[in-house]
Amino acid sequence: MNTLKRTIVICLFTGYWMIPFAGFGQKTLDQKVDSVLKLMTLEEKVGQMNQYNGDWAATGPITPDGDKQDQIRKGLVGSMLNVTGVEHTTELQKIAMESRLKIPLLFGQDIIHGYRTIFPIPLGEAASWDMKAIEQSARIAATEASAAGVQWTFAPMVDIARDPRWGRVMEGAGEDPYLGSQIARARVLGFQGKGLGHTDAVMACAKHFAGYGAAIGGRDYNTVDMSLLTLWNVYLPPFKAAEEAGAATFMNSFNTLNGIPATGNSYLQRDILKGKWKFQGFVVSDWNSIGEMIPHGFARDHADAALKAISAGNDMDMESRSYIQNLPKLVREGKVSVNLVNEAVRRILKKKFELGLFDDPYKFSNAQREKSQWDNSANLMVEKSMAEKSVVLLKNEGQLLPLNREKLKGKTIALIGPLVRSIRQNLGFWSYSWPDDSLRVISTWKGIAQKVGDDIHLAYAKGCSITDTSKAGFEEAVETARKADIVIMEVGEAADMSGEAKSRSNIHLPGVQEDLIKAIYATGKPVIVLINAGRPLIFNWTSAHVPAILYTWWLGTEAGGAVADVLFGDYNPSGKLPITFPRAEGQIPIYYDHFNTGRPPKNANDLNYVSSYIDLPNSPAYPFGYGLSYTTFSYSDITLNSPILRPGGTLEASVEVTNTGKYPGKETVQLYTRQMVGSVVRPVEELKGFKQVYLTPGESRKVTFALTVNDLRFYNAHLNEVYEPGDFKIFIGTSSAQVKQADFKLEK
Ligand code: NOJ
């Protein structure tokens, strides 16, 4: 290395960028990146594109391999995942600083719904329809994770999911492209905070690009086959929103999309993401998804897979080793252009510069900061509030809820079910367990006990386990219920029954839990059922008989406290379903914004050669957007400022919403539209906006939505984003299935 180059290297890593030495201080980010690139050997370049799993946790099948530390020292590793904590990240960063060019490592991790403070699972948070709260949850996750040495989260997962058999529905925002896009944006903004370069910002990663949620049969990693119209109108919008919000990275996906693995798909990565959308960040593969192009039948071997992945725009290789083992040779043989490698490395280095790692590779390695975020009680308060907002009240016959503490004084509440006393389950899939979870995580039992103190007696029986079919505990549970004045049951899935590789063909309440509910209900005691799950479950008997049902997903560290607040009316439930709940697996995929078909049934009993099932209504158990409150809301008819909307103009649609019940409460007012005739068929309803209003009893508020032609755009048969003049319907209401309606015309 000549003297100038050596000086440059030293300056690079001692934070002297801003000193106008050899003109460096004036350099743009691109010039800085290029000046590093120039120093790199081909192996070092490919090293930057190589990501290994650490030894802290494994989130995929482990590849037994050689000495990773030695490879880091040789500059052959650009990033690690699953290494966390200041101690561990510092240790590895020090090794990276022993490498020839001292290029800092990037530490990535699945911070999906919190790091130390665990928030509700993303699908639960989506039920809040509260973008500020969702952003704040991501902000706190980023603050805690970045304090522990993590610079990059593999989140948000923005896959549209319409098949609750797919275990990963828990990880996203549900079925709707509009709601999904709003949430994608909120999460990216939350993770990246004031921007990369701030010590409490982590890079977001929009995943899994693209179509992963449409795995056939809901079976994880399965084939995806969909029209480009569906891809553009339904599955891509949240990715576009994430890109527009500034997501620093994207992750591609395990699935094939219309015959081509997403990882080797240049239509997705080069044409759309880096081309049309001008994405400036980098794309990481999913775990070994480059290698998996071999069993897919798309690549002959790892060399072929590496060639296809880089050609398609995949910049970093997570865990397959295809790049590190093959790219240098492929370049030397002239099979892969070095320009492709340079482009990928540039994108990766740029993010390392933006994060400030070249100035200080230990920027995220501050033990003091880590300690200060470890037991942050303010974060727990925010978590509790997020958890309360995520709960959905599905049924409340006879106003059984909220429970009245005064009236229950001296009485007994029986708490029955396999999840009442669970600790770990409350954190859901994609969360970390910490050794002190048993003290920190609030179970339902603990939350209620804290709420009622000595005033109300609590009794407990487990009744049964989650999946086991033994009914041995029923008798004790029934006895416990008999002696009580009221029964609260907590049932559902185990936390690890949803998540990655957790597809289920049967999504009924598992085991004998619904039988337990029947047995307890038969005692004649008033029964309230709480359902914990990472997906919509099927529980038709419970829906038909039990007077009060709350869907509580997995609510995180403060779960039990939040549930107690909701049960006793200290929080009036306001959650709305972000995904349709089917009556039977046979209805799946089921979603509200379907097409009308040429033979829509006239009513639920219409079987006269119409598009229906002979053994089941078409309607779901609970529709998208549904969720009750302890109070009631009435909607006036819709008023429009004009029956005509023209390009450049604004259509104002208003309703008067009134709290007609006894409690103050929050309502999410939802706006949907329907284009009656289109150049391609348009859905029967599409969410276009929502607003949350808080009303005290008797209070009314006018809620106005402003629509422009931009809200009515969609991708046509040529995949151009257009709006089309014609007749429209506008719907405003409390769910996708309960709305007021008006008509307007879109004119040229
Ligand atoms: C595989 C998952 O599909 C992806 O979402 C995750 O980020 C990686 N594993 C890393 O854990």
Side-chain angles (χ1 to χ4, degrees):
M1 194 193 284
N2 65 35
T3 322
L4 174 64
K5 277 192 181 166
R6 220 173 301 135
T7 322
I8 292 169
V9 175
I10 292 162
C11 290
L12 267 175
F13 305 113
T14 48
Y16 291 149
W17 276 110
M18 300 318 290
I19 296 174
F21 172 77
F24 267 45
Q26 310 305 322
K27 286 192 187 299
T28 63
L29 185 55
D30 285 334
Q31 288 166 330
K32 289 178 187 178
V33 167
D34 275 343
S35 60
V36 178
L37 196 69
K38 272 192 209 130
L39 304 175
M40 299 172 80
T41 64
L42 182 55
E43 272 72 16
E44 284 165 340
K45 287 179 184 173
V46 177
Q48 285 305 302
M49 302 163 70
N50 185 31
Q51 185 188 52
Y52 285 152
N53 188 57
D55 302 322
W56 193 69
T59 46
I62 297 187
T63 311
D65 52 4
D67 186 347
K68 287 179 196 160
Q69 301 201 354
D70 185 53
Q71 294 189 54
I72 295 172
R73 206 168 277 117
K74 290 186 175 135
L76 300 178
V77 183
S79 173
M80 297 289 293
L81 77 147
N82 290 330
V83 179
T84 193
V86 163
E87 191 191 331
H88 297 116
T89 50
T90 307
E91 194 183 303
L92 291 186
Q93 198 67 290
K94 275 189 182 153
I95 297 174
M97 290 304 112
E98 290 169 22
S99 67
R100 191 180 74 94
L101 290 177
K102 303 184 180 355
I103 299 178
L105 282 171
L106 200 54
F107 295 104
Q109 187 95 20
D110 292 287
I111 310 298
I112 307 296
H113 52 113
Y115 176 71
R116 167 71 168 159
T117 307
I118 303 299
F119 280 81
I121 56 166
L123 188 62
E125 286 194 351
S128 73
W129 294 51
D130 185 331
M131 297 310 119
K132 286 227 152 50
I134 291 175
E135 183 178 335
Q136 198 186 5
S137 153
R139 186 82 292 278
I140 288 173
T143 306
E144 292 183 356
S146 61
V150 178
Q151 305 133 350
W152 179 19
T153 175
F154 304 128
M157 190 273 229
V158 303
D159 296 304
I160 294 297
R162 302 179 152 196
D163 191 330
R165 292 171 299 182
W166 190 50
R168 297 194 82 169
V169 293
M170 56 78 53
E171 207 183 326
E175 75 185 41
D176 183 62
Y178 179 85
L179 181 63
S181 298
Q182 303 290 315
I183 293 177
R185 180 186 149 76
R187 291 201 164 122
V188 170
L189 295 180
F191 286 132
Q192 298 190 169
K194 294 206 186 86
L196 305 190
H198 289 263
T199 37
D200 62 357
V202 297
M203 294 200 295
C205 181
K207 70 187 189 185
H208 305 82
F209 197 59
Y212 185 36
I216 291 176
R219 208 181 70 217
D220 208 2
Y221 317 121
N222 202 9
T223 307
V224 173
D225 211 284
M226 68 168 75
S227 74
L228 291 183
L229 268 184
T230 301
L231 178 71
W232 279 89
N233 283 312
V234 179
Y235 285 82
L236 291 185
F239 286 101
K240 187 150 188 274
E243 200 284 323
E244 284 169 359
T249 68
F250 265 54
M251 184 185 291
N252 57 36
S253 180
F254 291 122
N255 56 282
T256 53
L257 176 70
N258 302 337
I260 299 179
T263 304
N265 198 314
S266 60
Y267 174 62
L268 285 174
Q269 297 170 108
R270 291 226 181 263
D271 299 357
I272 299 175
L273 181 60
K274 293 178 175 176
K276 203 170 163 65
W277 296 352
K278 301 187 170 47
F279 172 64
Q280 299 298 312
F282 69 85
V283 179
V284 63
S285 76
D286 203 342
W287 183 293
N288 189 35
S289 68
I290 299 181
E292 289 173 19
M293 293 201 291
I294 303 167
H296 269 305
F298 189 72
R300 254 188 332 275
D301 50 26
H302 280 277
D304 195 27
L307 183 149
K308 287 183 168 140
I310 190 170
S311 305
N314 180 117
D315 301 306
M316 187 180 277
D317 173 359
M318 180 191 287
E319 269 293 297
S320 95
R321 290 142 182 80
S322 305
Y323 278 5
I324 197 69
Q325 290 171 3
N326 298 285
L327 273 184
K329 188 161 175 268
L330 288 167
V331 171
R332 288 199 177 96
E333 288 170 356
K335 291 184 180 147
V336 167
S337 157
V338 74
N339 292 337
L340 284 184
V341 172
N342 287 344
E343 187 224 314
V345 177
R346 264 195 200 100
R347 286 174 180 268
I348 294 164
L349 291 181
K350 204 166 167 176
K351 291 302 159 200
K352 292 189 177 184
F353 269 108
E354 286 176 11
L355 283 166
L357 292 175
F358 277 103
D359 293 327
D360 178 6
Y362 303 107
K363 191 170 169 177
F364 295 84
S365 309
N366 179 333
Q368 198 47 45
R369 197 159 75 89
E370 181 175 45
K371 206 163 156 227
S372 73
Q373 286 301 329
W374 192 244
D375 276 315
N376 187 328
S377 53
N379 292 355
L380 286 174
M381 299 285 289
V382 179
E383 191 306 277
K384 187 173 177 200
S385 162
M386 183 78 246
E388 289 168 354
K389 290 173 179 167
S390 305
V391 173
V392 183
L393 177 65
L394 295 179
K395 190 174 175 191
N396 193 21
E397 222 169 61
Q399 297 273 294
L400 182 53
L401 288 171
L403 299 176
N404 186 320
R405 240 174 304 178
E406 280 309 305
K407 285 195 186 146
L408 284 169
K409 253 192 184 154
K411 303 221 160 124
T412 300
I413 302 179
L415 287 165
I416 295 176
L419 288 159
V420 168
R421 283 191 161 159
S422 63
I423 303 281
R424 176 65 186 93
Q425 306 288 351
N426 289 299
L427 305 182
F429 199 82
W430 286 123
S431 57
Y432 302 105
S433 293
W434 305 109
D436 57 353
D437 275 350
S438 59
L439 299 173
R440 262 172 75 87
V441 180
I442 312 292
S443 66
T444 297
W445 172 263
K446 190 166 171 184
I448 294 178
Q450 280 172 353
K451 170 86 50 194
V452 302
D454 296 332
D455 292 348
I456 301 169
H457 180 65
L458 297 183
Y460 167 74
K462 185 174 172 194
C464 63
S465 72
I466 295 170
T467 46
D468 197 297
T469 49
S470 165
K471 295 187 178 178
F474 276 32
E475 202 181 314
E476 185 207 354
V478 167
E479 226 15 67
T480 309
R482 275 211 184 98
K483 288 189 206 136
D485 300 282
I486 195 159
V487 184
I488 298 172
M489 298 188 69
E490 189 162 28
V491 295
E493 294 183 311
D496 63 2
M497 289 171 75
S498 61
E500 187 181 347
K502 301 289 184 283
S503 296
R504 291 175 58 203
S505 61
N506 172 352
I507 58 166
H508 281 66
L509 263 179
V512 290
Q513 295 181 93
E514 201 156 43
D515 290 340
L516 179 66
I517 298 172
K518 288 178 191 169
I520 302 297
Y521 178 81
T523 63
K525 300 289 174 175
V527 180
I528 297 152
V529 170
L530 311 175
I531 302 179
N532 291 165
R535 54 157 64 81
L537 292 178
I538 296 170
F539 43 91
N540 296 327
W541 190 93
T542 304
S543 288
H545 297 87
V546 170
I549 307 172
L550 287 161
Y551 216 74
T552 51
W553 320 103
W554 298 116
L555 293 175
T557 314
E558 291 285 324
V563 161
D565 277 359
V566 170
L567 287 168
F568 288 90
D570 295 319
Y571 185 86
N572 183 355
S574 56
K576 300 276 187 180
L577 297 178
I579 185 165
T580 303
F581 276 43
R583 293 171 192 269
E585 289 87 353
Q587 290 181 312
I588 299 171
I590 181 168
Y591 45 91
Y592 82 95
D593 60 342
H594 56 83
F595 293 157
N596 202 32
T597 80
R599 293 189 180 192
K602 288 185 191 62
N603 54 54
N605 303 319
D606 186 3
L607 294 176
N608 190 20
Y609 290 95
V610 291
S611 178
S612 61
Y613 300 102
I614 58 170
D615 57 353
L616 203 67
N618 284 2
S619 62
Y622 297 102
F624 175 81
Y626 174 85
L628 303 173
S629 163
Y630 294 151
T631 194
T632 45
F633 298 101
S634 74
Y635 282 67
S636 71
D637 285 337
I638 300 173
T639 53
L640 299 178
N641 64 338
S642 160
I644 290 165
L645 172 64
R646 292 196 183 83
T650 302
L651 183 81
E652 283 180 14
S654 310
V655 285
E656 183 101 350
V657 183
T658 306
N659 181 338
T660 49
K662 290 194 301 212
Y663 302 92
K666 185 166 77 179
E667 168 72 333
T668 302
V669 182
Q670 302 159 39
L671 171 108
Y672 300 84
T673 60
R674 175 173 180 185
Q675 181 177 339
M676 300 309 291
V677 176
S679 61
V680 293
V681 170
R682 307 292 300 127
V684 294
E685 257 183 304
E686 287 178 279
L687 184 69
K688 295 292 182 184
F690 55 88
K691 287 191 174 174
Q692 300 197 309
V693 283
Y694 184 84
L695 299 172
T696 53
E699 190 183 354
S700 293
R701 181 98 38 91
K702 186 174 173 189
V703 179
T704 301
F705 294 91
L707 278 184
T708 71
V709 289
N710 287 337
D711 297 303
L712 304 175
R713 286 180 191 273
F714 65 97
Y715 291 91
N716 68 10
H718 307 288
L719 304 180
N720 292 324
E721 200 183 14
V722 297
Y723 57 84
E724 293 177 341
D727 291 332
F728 283 77
K729 283 199 186 304
I730 191 162
F731 310 99
I732 302 181
T734 187
S735 79
S736 61
Q738 204 184 334
V739 288
K740 299 284 181 181
Q741 154 179 348
D743 300 301
F744 73 93
K745 247 187 207 331
L746 174 57
E747 287 190 354
K748 277 197 193 128

